[in-house]
Amino acid sequence: MTDWKIPLYAPSTGEAEARAVAEVLRANWLSVGRVTQDFEERYAAALEVEDAVAVSSGTAALHLAVLALGIGPGDEVVLPSLSFVSAAAVVALCGATPVFAEVKGAHDLGVDPADVAARITPRTRAVVAVHYGGHAADLPALTALARRHGLALIEDAAHAPATKTAYGVLGTVGDIGCFSFFATKNLSMGEGGAVVARDPEVRARVRRLRSHALTVGAEQRHRGGPSGYDVDGFGLNYRPTEIACALGRVQLEALAERRVVRQEAVRTYRELLSGLPGLEVPYADRPVEEGAHHLFPVVLPDGLDREDLQTGLRAAGVQSGVHYPPTHLFTAYRERYGTRPGSLPVTESVAARQLSLPLHGAIEIQDVRRVAEAVSRTWAPER
């Protein structure tokens, strides 16, 4: 791996996480058990909901959401192309068709409700609202749209754990919310995720599907419960580990403090980059206190080569990233669904110019200043 002076992401783990893992190892039970249940209760409390179901990844959360809603062959799900591929993949794996919609633009990388509305057909069953970078999608418009057409609203809140907004806590506004606790996320369990749902029956279905639809779990049997079990559906093994959930409990306690670090970094970035002509900072019109700030994206002006800028940053030891290549342009989606370049011009234009700068829960302001200086030094002279 490159020895970056300023990495795009750095883990926020320490002795507290090490102690939590050691306690699980001493307890001698590593799959879903009491630590998982405790984490679920704490996370549900942070979201101000009745219950949360911990799972093995954000992708598992999305897959279980689609399965629990009964979406399958012949159905369509409208979702943004400017997102990680997992949301579209789980729709395809359930036999349904992902229908890609535009984002609003460089100022707001959330899905455009007007474009979503134009893509709804009699086969549409659900809409996915991705809270890009930890910033709320247009939930009032998307909620109204879903209700008007009788659709499920799935919130992909992978970037926004326990994030309160004027619309409500992200992930809890729609019918079902999905979270990711991957290694680089704001709340990191290495691998992990969670699902919440407004309908208790849907939530119960997610919990059963998480573990092969078994009527009695392994931990119950291990602790002297019923030795037999039935299977009342077709489920999967999407269980988290006790180790992951132990990490999650510690990370959840530190989430608010680390969010303040992210907010201060974003405030500094906005100030230092504001003078670069043509550079657009998405969500800069929103108060810095809003959002989870998982990513710090910028959108470059037309004519400024992104690779040249990344080369300049690399020379300064600064890592950068691209979030994300549009899903509809990937080979699998072009071949199966006939998506093609030019079909989503706003998304494609923004994606070609988007760049993510370093941001994490332990970043120091002096490093933010160095990144901004490196961007300024490599900016095209004519601009």
Side-chain angles (χ1 to χ4, degrees):
M1 294 179 64
T2 303
D3 186 16
W4 299 103
K5 293 180 181 177
I6 306 176
L8 186 64
Y9 160 82
S12 299
T13 54
E15 287 302 314
E17 284 84 357
R19 288 193 297 270
V21 170
E23 289 174 7
V24 170
L25 295 177
R26 284 193 291 269
N28 205 29
W29 181 259
L30 301 182
S31 187
V32 169
R34 295 173 183 177
V35 175
T36 298
Q37 181 179 352
D38 185 57
F39 171 72
E40 290 175 332
E41 292 171 356
R42 296 187 189 200
Y43 194 63
L47 298 179
E48 301 176 359
V49 296
E50 292 181 2
D51 192 16
V53 183
V55 295
S56 57
S57 70
T59 302
L62 288 163
H63 195 190
L64 289 169
V66 174
L67 288 170
L69 292 171
I71 294 170
D75 297 331
E76 295 177 349
V77 176
V78 183
L79 70 168
S81 178
L82 191 67
S83 178
F84 188 59
V85 68
S86 58
V90 299
V91 172
L93 287 168
C94 288
T97 299
V99 176
F100 298 106
E102 290 277 31
V103 294
K104 287 189 171 184
H107 67 293
D108 185 332
L109 303 179
V111 71
D112 183 353
D115 195 62
V116 170
R119 298 175 190 275
I120 292 174
T121 75
R123 297 171 59 189
T124 307
R125 289 285 310 281
V127 174
V128 178
V130 176
H131 301 309
Y132 180 101
H135 299 277
D138 191 344
L139 286 174
L142 292 169
T143 299
L145 184 65
R147 288 176 179 169
R148 186 162 64 249
H149 291 274
L151 307 175
L153 179 60
I154 301 170
E155 289 183 72
D156 182 343
H159 295 175
T163 303
K164 296 181 180 181
T165 72
Y167 311 134
V169 181
L170 298 185
T172 72
V173 179
D175 296 284
I176 193 161
C178 303
F179 300 86
S180 171
F181 307 136
F182 179 62
T184 61
K185 295 299 193 295
N186 297 28
L187 191 163
S188 173
M189 291 162 48
E191 294 282 1
V195 182
V196 298
R198 299 179 69 84
D199 185 340
E201 291 186 9
V202 172
R203 192 165 60 238
R205 201 174 304 139
V206 168
R207 191 176 293 280
R208 289 197 305 273
L209 292 172
R210 168 184 78 172
S211 188
H212 304 290
L214 301 179
T215 56
V216 180
E219 197 264 350
Q220 293 172 278
R221 301 195 302 275
H222 174 72
R223 299 194 184 280
S227 58
Y229 56 84
D230 191 14
V231 175
D232 60 6
F234 301 102
L236 299 151
N237 177 4
Y238 279 159
R239 297 184 297 266
T241 68
E242 293 279 272
I243 290 174
C245 290
L247 291 172
R249 289 195 302 193
V250 177
Q251 291 271 307
L252 182 59
E253 290 179 1
L255 185 61
E257 179 181 345
R258 290 168 181 168
R259 185 160 292 168
V260 171
V261 173
R262 291 174 180 271
Q263 290 172 349
E264 188 58 32
V266 168
R267 186 178 287 110
T268 303
Y269 269 134
R270 288 180 179 180
E271 176 186 347
L272 296 178
L273 298 176
S274 62
L276 294 179
L279 182 73
E280 187 145 13
V281 178
Y283 310 106
D285 59 339
R286 300 186 185 184
V288 74
E289 293 77 17
E290 290 187 9
H293 300 293
H294 172 60
L295 302 173
F296 185 78
V298 297
V299 180
L300 309 179
D302 288 327
L304 183 63
D305 190 284
R306 180 170 63 190
E307 291 188 7
D308 286 348
L309 180 55
Q310 287 190 284
T311 297
L313 293 174
R314 192 177 300 113
V318 175
Q319 186 181 21
S320 59
V322 173
H323 297 90
Y324 295 91
T327 303
H328 74 285
L329 298 183
F330 289 137
T331 299
Y333 296 87
R334 287 189 288 105
E335 290 182 348
R336 175 170 293 192
Y337 304 110
T339 54
R340 64 191 188 283
S343 59
L344 294 173
V346 176
T347 295
E348 292 171 36
S349 173
V350 169
R353 297 178 290 125
Q354 188 276 332
L355 190 69
S356 296
L357 300 179
L359 183 63
H360 51 82
I363 195 167
E364 297 183 0
I365 293 301
Q366 62 183 6
D367 284 339
V368 173
R369 295 184 180 279
R370 289 170 183 153
V371 173
E373 289 170 4
V375 172
S376 298
R377 282 198 306 271
T378 54
W379 205 254
E382 64 270 24
R383 293 184 178 274

